[in-house]
Amino acid sequence: MEAQVENAIEIASDPSADRTLNSQALDFIAQLPSDPQSWRVCLALFVREPRCSEFVRHTCLDVLNNAIRSGLLDVPTLNAVRENLLAYAQDIYKPPDPGHASVDSPGGQNKLAQTLTCLFVCLYPSEWLSFFRDMLNLTALAGSSGRENAAGTIFFLRVLLQIHDEIADVFLARTADERKKSNELKDLIRERDAKFIAASWQEILSQWRAKDSTVTDFCLVVVGRWASWTDISLIITPTLRDLLLELVISQSNGPAALRETALTTFTEILRKKMSPDYKLELIEFLKIREVIAHLIASPALADLRATSQYDTDLAESVAQLANHSLSDIVKAIESARDQDSVMVQGVSHLKGFLPLVLRFFSDDYDEICSTVIPCLSDLLTLFRRKEKSSAVIHEQSTAMLGPVLDAVVAKMRYDETSSWGNEDAQTDEAEFQELRKRLHVLQQAIAAVDDTLYQDKISSVVISTFENFKRGGSQVDWRDLDLALHEMFLFGELGLKSGGLYSKTKPTTPAAERLIAMMFKLVECDVASSPHPAVQLQYMEICVRYYHFFDANPQFISTTLERFILFVHHNHVKVQTRSWYLFARFIKHARQHLGDIAQTVIQALSDLLPIKAEIPDEVSDNSDMSSEENQQTPSARFDSQLHLFEAVGCVCSARGVPVENQVVYIRTVITPLFSDMEVHLSPAKNGDDLAVMQVHHLIMALGTLARGFSDWTPASITSSASPPASEVSEEFSRTSEAILLALESVNVNTDVIRAAARFSFSRLVGVLGSRILPQLPRWIDGLLARTSSKDEMALFMRLLDQVVYGFKTEIYGILNTLLTPLLQRVFAGIAEPVTGTDDEIQLAELKREYLSFLLVILNNNLEAVLVTEANQAGFANVISTIEHLAKDASDFPTAKLAFTVLTNMVTKWGGPDVQTKAPEPTLPGFDRFMMERFSPLCWALPSQPNFDARDAQGKQAMGEAAGLQRAIYAKTGEQYLSHLRNTELSGMGMDEGTMDGYLRVLSSSDTKAFKQYFQGLVQRSKR
């Protein structure tokens, strides 16, 4: 049997073995755990001499572990296994002479330790009480009581680590029974052997700390792990503490790995949960502050700090220790009362630890700085919560906030080695910006405690830097200017808290007043003249964010615009493309003050307006590109260029520009675009991809120009903008005509042209007004072509919703003409087969947009257009489509919307509500129609085999179906009740009692109550 098992395992582990044999071997091995005797064979194979292969021995222990864990072995058998393995361990790890067999590999040692741990779990409570002493016995050489045996000592420590992982690892999921068993074992260890085990650590560290770093490192890891669940008073004795301190301090110039493990051990000990007063005593007992201070002063962290030999790993380890210490101190203070011993001791520790934490916070390496941000966040939270209620906390916050804020502001600055805009440093730049976000959170916390301190500090930094620049110009480091501008930008969260800078020409708050003073300095000191791109970008961002300042001080707009004009022509791609967007934003805010300089601005931008399309590189994967590389792609550059057209539109429509000048300016811009389009239309018709892309870009530019020109939205009740003058609309009519011509002419890559045309159509509505209505049939023909996707149809239907709403008093005639052809195309799109998940999603969207379009018609009193002579023939298709969608149990949102449409039809055409009189529908026969066609749909949906009554969306659809029944009842009264009793409900097989209750609730309850009743009835019927 042993040979068979060994042979099977060897074949299974051999990649060159025959595939059939390999499969048979794996099947054989898989059966071993279920064989009640296989563990005996595996145990014999494991302890056999000469040894089997590593893989065989490892697999054998797996089988044995499974037998132990599954309870297959009784106590006597477990004891027999224990004796075998203990004898093996003593033979291997405590050899009688140096020439004995070598120890197992590290993997083999871990596996054996795991098996011994399984035995420990079963036998330690009552059978194997000497477990730890037996294991510790391996650490001594034969005939000695010391801990001189390195191999046995390491194995003993491996066993301790396995026991920790088995019963105390918090990341290991356990059942309730396993948690109970683990807790019982931990209690037994504390009661029986904790002191003994702690003493063994002291002996091992004393024996090996100066001889073997591997043994020492193992021991330190064990101490850190066990400290998390063992009583500190039992294991962390003064002797062990002194050994740990010696390792940290004496190794401050020695092996880095051992020193850092010792520091990690300190940190693990500190992480142990305990009451605040005990935690403070532990910090003092372990002399954590002295350890940190000593390491900060060590050559590795002091003398070498500004060199390439600076030990960042050590600094990060010490910073972690400082971070945990200060967090624990803060928690202790937070739970204490003024003047009690915990508060006094905590404040004393706080004063000692904060300078140490700030040392690491101000480190040049951002990773080290980030390590202590959590404890500073905890400290600032403490100040915010208790600063007003505690005199002691108030005193400490007053003394400590200043140094913390100074450190935060200093850390916001680019370091001396940074080079902004360098492609090789993009990752560092991204990480620094992420750090700035975290630092900003700290600044916000400081401002929440003492906003006066924050305002004074930021104002001082910003204004002094600007004044230094005014005096020294290029001598001021760009990093200082960037810092000042960045802080000024962030200051807006406080300065704009009331919604703006001014209220009736007066600053809204003291913070707004400070910000206004900074803006004056920004402009007066001509900070924008700095040649550094980072400063120029920050300048533009600030001008856009604080545009209220320019509203109140329009005298600065001209000079600011001059700077913007320079920046939009910048040779740095990041500055140029971002400035195009910011320029458009600034122009939009300052539009009312641009009347005198509109022509100058347009002329200054004229060289940036010519469009040159490029075919995108389909091979490149934009997801793998950096943000800066993305900005340089043709698509990204054109998207940014569109902002210039929007800005030109804003300038053309500026207040104070005469209408005749507006027309001239518009022609100045659109005429070159028309000419360019005329040149490229012919090759685009012939399939030239570049020409098609050029036409696409030209259409997008024309639409964006229109968006910039007018903010007016037809029928809007929230916008204060007015429609453009008729002369201006006439010019944009030419634009619309040009786009339609392109849409009708290009038959290659039509989806590209349609996308651009759809984009422009939505923007032309605001400048053309009702002038767009006569062109609507051509827009529909172009945008709803036979090749249009469902997604395109849905998007255009959404645009038509806006047009119908905006021109509801003028669109009836045109809508009457185009409705049937429009719906026919939609029906064709809905009827197309679904070819994939994306297509299915687009189909659902098209269905909902179709129903939404019908709702817009009904809600805007245009329902008559559905049943005119021109559209009456198609009305049957409209109804049948709605009926089909209302019965679709696979798409509850669409079904719900379908019921909403039917309810609106009932309301529009059902006539007045009836009490006792006969129905008077506005459409002859509609009363019978809605009872016979609409009402059965309310039961048709829940009757579908795939209807899920527990689905929340299905429940909502049933609520709309109930609303439809209530609407029909309101219009037909007793006739509907008779129809339900005699035809519909009886035909469904509903019993008399349920039918009586149903009709009673329908006729006597309000809509909300009937919805709840109907939803409950449907759920009960589906059980």
Side-chain angles (χ1 to χ4, degrees):
M1 181 67 174
E2 290 182 22
Q4 186 180 8
V5 171
E6 182 179 8
N7 189 41
I9 298 174
E10 292 286 8
I11 293 173
S13 64
D14 184 3
S16 63
D18 180 77
R19 183 171 298 181
T20 303
L21 282 177
N22 184 272
S23 177
Q24 292 173 353
L26 289 172
D27 291 340
F28 177 78
I29 295 170
Q31 299 300 319
L32 289 177
S34 59
D35 185 343
Q37 298 303 315
S38 63
W39 66 269
R40 297 182 185 276
V41 177
C42 291
L43 176 60
L45 279 172
F46 177 78
V47 300
R48 190 188 75 185
E49 288 291 345
R51 296 180 186 179
C52 303
S53 70
E54 183 81 6
F55 191 82
V56 171
R57 303 178 83 236
H58 192 282
T59 305
C60 287
L61 286 182
D62 268 334
V63 175
L64 182 57
N65 291 348
N66 181 74
I68 297 170
R69 290 181 186 276
S70 60
L72 290 176
L73 311 185
D74 56 18
V75 173
T77 306
L78 288 171
N79 278 319
V81 173
R82 178 191 80 178
E83 294 299 331
N84 270 275
L85 291 180
L86 188 57
Y88 171 84
Q90 289 173 338
D91 189 37
I92 296 298
Y93 297 102
K94 191 176 180 179
D97 62 78
H100 200 273
S102 61
V103 299
D104 296 315
S105 67
Q109 292 182 46
N110 285 333
K111 199 65 186 178
L112 178 58
Q114 187 182 63
T115 304
L116 289 169
T117 299
C118 293
L119 291 170
F120 163 83
V121 170
C122 297
L123 299 176
Y124 182 69
S126 57
E127 296 292 323
W128 199 355
L129 279 64
S130 63
F131 176 86
F132 291 105
R133 285 172 171 78
D134 291 342
M135 293 299 107
L136 184 64
N137 185 45
L138 301 174
T139 65
L141 293 173
S144 170
S145 59
R147 308 296 168 214
E148 303 96 339
N149 182 12
T153 301
I154 289 178
F155 183 72
F156 167 67
L157 296 171
R158 288 185 191 274
V159 171
L160 293 184
L161 285 175
Q162 285 289 342
I163 290 174
H164 165 81
D165 293 343
E166 179 70 25
I167 67 175
D169 188 349
V170 295
F171 297 108
L172 184 66
R174 296 180 177 86
T175 64
D177 290 340
E178 289 171 340
R179 287 195 297 271
K180 181 181 178 183
K181 179 70 172 177
S182 295
N183 290 334
E184 290 173 352
L185 287 170
K186 286 188 283 188
D187 289 341
L188 285 173
I189 292 172
R190 296 183 188 109
E191 179 183 339
R192 295 175 183 171
D193 294 313
K195 280 188 176 181
F196 166 75
I197 294 169
S200 73
W201 297 337
Q202 296 176 23
E203 293 172 3
I204 291 170
L205 290 174
S206 299
Q207 176 72 35
W208 292 102
R209 69 184 187 280
K211 297 179 181 179
D212 192 318
S213 61
T214 302
V215 176
T216 306
D217 189 84
F218 255 110
C219 189
L220 291 173
V221 172
V222 171
V223 172
R225 300 276 180 86
W226 278 58
S228 64
W229 56 273
T230 314
D231 292 343
I232 289 292
S233 60
L234 296 178
I235 62 172
I236 307 301
T237 62
T239 303
L240 183 59
R241 176 204 61 189
D242 292 342
L243 286 169
L244 291 174
L245 288 172
E246 181 184 342
L247 282 169
V248 172
I249 294 173
S250 66
Q251 294 290 331
S252 60
N253 296 313
L258 189 58
R259 178 188 58 213
E260 288 169 22
T261 304
L263 283 170
T264 303
T265 303
F266 270 112
T267 304
E268 293 291 340
I269 294 171
L270 278 181
R271 282 178 174 167
K272 182 175 177 61
K273 295 180 180 179
M274 60 181 68
S275 62
D277 52 338
Y278 285 158
K279 182 58 72 75
L280 293 179
E281 290 177 7
L282 179 63
I283 291 172
E284 189 166 348
F285 172 77
L286 292 175
K287 301 181 179 180
I288 300 295
R289 192 184 67 79
E290 290 83 351
V291 169
I292 297 173
H294 173 84
L295 290 171
I296 288 175
S298 68
L301 299 187
D303 300 344
L304 303 177
R305 182 176 180 182
T307 71
S308 59
Q309 296 177 312
Y310 180 53
D311 193 339
T312 55
D313 291 335
L314 174 62
E316 193 165 353
S317 297
V318 182
Q320 287 175 349
L321 183 59
N323 178 68
H324 284 292
S325 301
L326 187 60
S327 289
D328 287 335
I329 293 167
V330 168
K331 290 173 186 175
I333 294 174
E334 193 166 17
S335 65
R337 297 180 180 178
D338 275 12
Q339 306 307 326
D340 70 8
S341 59
V342 174
M343 176 68 79
V344 173
Q345 189 179 13
V347 168
S348 175
H349 281 309
L350 188 61
K351 292 177 181 178
F353 271 90
L354 183 59
L356 305 179
V357 168
L358 292 181
R359 149 65 181 86
F360 293 108
F361 182 79
S362 61
D363 199 283
D364 291 340
Y365 288 87
D366 294 343
E367 297 85 354
I368 298 169
C369 167
S370 298
T371 302
V372 295
I373 287 179
C375 70
L376 286 177
S377 180
D378 292 343
L379 176 63
L380 295 174
T381 301
L382 168 69
F383 287 161
R384 179 173 56 83
R385 289 176 178 173
K386 303 193 73 171
E387 194 264 346
K388 293 182 180 178
S389 61
S390 168
V392 175
I393 299 299
H394 174 76
E395 180 183 352
Q396 297 308 313
S397 69
T398 302
M400 294 179 180
L401 280 178
V404 174
L405 180 57
D406 289 344
V408 172
V409 172
K411 195 62 189 173
M412 283 277 194
R413 184 181 185 272
Y414 278 95
D415 61 45
E416 298 298 332
T417 61
S418 59
S419 54
W420 187 93
N422 189 336
E423 290 186 8
D424 296 333
Q426 289 181 20
T427 301
D428 293 340
E429 170 72 15
E431 291 174 350
F432 177 62
Q433 294 305 327
E434 192 62 34
L435 175 63
R436 273 186 163 181
K437 292 178 184 178
R438 299 182 68 188
L439 296 174
H440 175 47
V441 173
L442 295 180
Q443 284 192 171
Q444 288 176 307
I446 294 171
V449 179
D450 190 344
D451 65 338
T452 302
L453 171 69
Y454 173 71
Q455 291 181 42
D456 288 343
K457 175 64 178 179
I458 302 304
S459 296
S460 173
V461 168
V462 172
I463 291 177
S464 63
T465 303
F466 290 170
E467 289 178 342
N468 289 340
F469 177 75
K470 185 177 181 180
R471 288 192 299 267
S474 60
Q475 296 179 5
V476 175
D477 195 320
W478 69 268
R479 297 171 182 83
D480 295 323
L481 277 175
D482 174 82
L483 172 64
L485 291 169
H486 182 69
E487 290 288 6
M488 184 176 172
F489 185 87
L490 298 180
F491 194 85
E493 294 194 7
L494 190 62
L496 298 177
K497 213 169 186 179
S498 299
L501 293 176
Y502 295 91
S503 176
K504 297 180 180 179
T505 72
K506 299 291 184 182
T508 54
T509 62
E513 187 174 4
R514 298 282 188 110
L515 191 50
I516 291 168
M518 294 182 213
M519 285 299 295
F520 273 111
K521 282 292 180 183
L522 175 75
V523 179
E524 292 170 356
C525 296
D526 196 17
V527 174
S529 64
S530 168
H532 199 276
V535 175
Q536 295 165 352
L537 272 178
Q538 288 273 30
Y539 171 83
M540 289 186 286
E541 298 278 2
I542 286 173
C543 289
V544 170
R545 184 171 199 188
Y546 305 134
Y547 67 90
H548 312 86
F549 172 80
F550 296 98
D551 282 339
N553 301 278
Q555 69 272 21
F556 295 122
I557 291 179
S558 295
T559 54
T560 303
L561 274 177
E562 289 177 9
R563 290 299 179 188
F564 269 89
I565 294 295
L566 289 175
F567 298 151
V568 297
H569 290 85
H570 207 285
N571 56 8
H572 193 293
V573 63
K574 186 174 181 180
V575 176
Q576 187 185 62
T577 53
R578 181 63 178 170
S579 69
W580 290 351
Y581 165 73
L582 295 172
F583 178 74
R585 289 277 308 277
F586 185 77
I587 286 290
K588 193 167 187 176
H589 294 312
R591 172 161 46 181
Q592 61 179 332
H593 304 293
L594 300 179
D596 297 337
I597 58 173
Q599 184 175 6
T600 304
V601 174
I602 294 171
Q603 289 175 347
L605 295 176
S606 59
D607 61 316
L608 297 174
L609 299 181
I611 293 172
K612 184 180 180 181
E614 297 180 48
I615 301 296
D617 183 4
E618 297 180 1
V619 178
S620 65
D621 183 1
N622 287 343
S623 63
D624 294 334
M625 299 173 71
S626 68
S627 59
E628 192 155 322
E629 288 173 329
N630 265 322
Q631 291 172 353
Q632 300 179 43
T633 62
S635 176
R637 181 178 173 82
F638 173 68
D639 288 342
S640 297
Q641 189 180 17
L642 287 178
H643 294 303
L644 294 178
F645 285 94
E646 184 176 2
V648 170
C650 288
V651 174
C652 291
S653 62
R655 184 183 302 176
V657 177
V659 172
E660 58 271 18
N661 287 358
Q662 292 183 10
V663 172
V664 172
Y665 298 157
I666 294 169
R667 285 178 183 171
T668 302
V669 179
I670 66 176
T671 300
L673 299 179
F674 289 166
S675 300
D676 198 5
M677 187 181 294
E678 186 177 0
V679 169
H680 287 88
L681 268 181
S682 180
K685 294 177 187 177
N686 296 325
D688 186 322
D689 289 343
L690 184 59
V692 170
M693 189 59 65
Q694 182 73 12
V695 173
H696 166 275
H697 285 13
L698 293 168
I699 293 173
M700 296 277 286
L702 290 168
T704 307
L705 179 71
R707 176 173 63 182
F709 191 92
S710 177
D711 293 330
W712 176 70
T713 302
S716 174
I717 60 175
T718 59
S719 175
S720 59
S722 56
S726 59
E727 296 91 335
V728 172
S729 295
E730 184 62 34
E731 285 301 315
F732 280 108
S733 292
R734 295 173 56 215
T735 298
S736 179
E737 187 64 36
I739 296 173
L740 284 170
L741 178 62
L743 192 59
E744 294 164 347
S745 301
V746 180
N747 297 315
V748 182
N749 291 332
T750 51
D751 55 330
V752 175
I753 302 299
R754 285 197 303 268
R758 187 168 54 248
F759 170 89
S760 295
F761 173 79
S762 64
R763 287 148 180 82
L764 285 169
V765 172
V767 291
L768 292 181
S770 59
R771 289 172 181 265
I772 203 169
L773 297 181
Q775 297 176 335
L776 204 51
R778 294 174 64 193
W779 281 105
I780 291 175
D781 285 339
L783 295 176
L784 292 184
R786 291 182 179 179
T787 57
S788 297
S789 67
K790 298 179 182 66
D791 189 44
E792 287 184 79
M793 291 184 185
L795 289 171
F796 186 64
M797 293 293 289
R798 200 173 302 154
L799 292 178
L800 282 182
D801 291 349
Q802 300 172 16
V803 174
V804 171
Y805 174 75
F807 303 106
K808 51 192 169 187
T809 61
E810 303 159 279
I811 201 173
Y812 183 88
I814 294 174
L815 190 60
N816 184 46
T817 303
L818 59 82
L819 183 64
T820 295
L822 169 66
L823 294 182
Q824 285 175 347
R825 298 190 187 188
V826 174
F827 294 156
I830 292 175
E832 288 177 1
V834 175
T835 57
T837 303
D838 290 344
D839 204 27
E840 188 176 342
I841 294 172
Q842 291 179 10
L843 175 60
E845 187 65 24
L846 177 58
K847 291 175 180 177
R848 287 193 280 272
E849 289 302 330
Y850 159 66
L851 294 171
S852 297
F853 178 67
L854 295 178
L855 272 179
V856 169
I857 291 176
L858 294 168
N859 290 336
N860 287 284
N861 300 318
L862 295 169
E863 65 277 2
V865 78
L866 294 170
V867 291
T868 61
E869 184 177 351
N871 300 311
Q872 197 166 18
F875 185 64
N877 287 335
V878 172
I879 296 299
S880 61
T881 308
I882 299 173
E883 289 175 328
H884 172 75
L885 298 178
K887 294 186 289 186
D888 188 357
S890 65
D891 187 357
F892 285 133
T894 300
K896 175 187 173 185
L897 196 56
F899 280 117
T900 304
V901 172
L902 294 174
T903 302
N904 272 263
M905 287 183 172
V906 170
T907 303
K908 293 293 183 181
W909 290 321
D913 291 355
V914 300
Q915 300 297 329
T916 57
K917 59 184 180 178
E920 300 177 0
T922 56
L923 286 180
F926 193 71
D927 53 336
R928 300 301 306 172
F929 185 84
M930 56 189 179
M931 286 189 289
E932 295 171 359
R933 295 284 295 273
F934 291 0
S935 181
L937 296 173
C938 301
W939 287 102
L941 177 61
S943 300
Q944 300 299 315
N946 59 337
F947 180 84
D948 184 358
R950 296 168 298 178
D951 191 292
Q953 292 182 327
K955 188 176 180 181
Q956 292 176 355
M958 287 295 90
E960 289 300 317
L964 173 59
Q965 295 175 77
R966 280 287 303 166
I968 295 173
Y969 172 74
K971 302 301 180 183
T972 58
E974 288 296 328
Q975 285 191 16
Y976 185 42
L977 298 180
S978 298
H979 170 80
L980 288 172
R981 180 181 293 277
N982 299 326
T983 305
E984 189 172 322
L985 299 182
S986 58
M988 291 166 45
M990 185 179 288
D991 63 83
E992 287 292 332
T994 304
M995 193 185 306
D996 289 341
Y998 183 85
L999 297 178
R1000 183 177 62 256
V1001 177
L1002 173 62
S1003 59
S1004 61
S1005 302
D1006 60 16
T1007 300
K1008 181 178 179 181
F1010 181 65
K1011 281 184 177 182
Q1012 294 175 343
Y1013 172 81
F1014 184 66
Q1015 289 166 340
L1017 181 62
V1018 169
Q1019 286 184 320
R1020 291 191 297 273
S1021 69
K1022 298 296 288 186
R1023 288 174 184 167

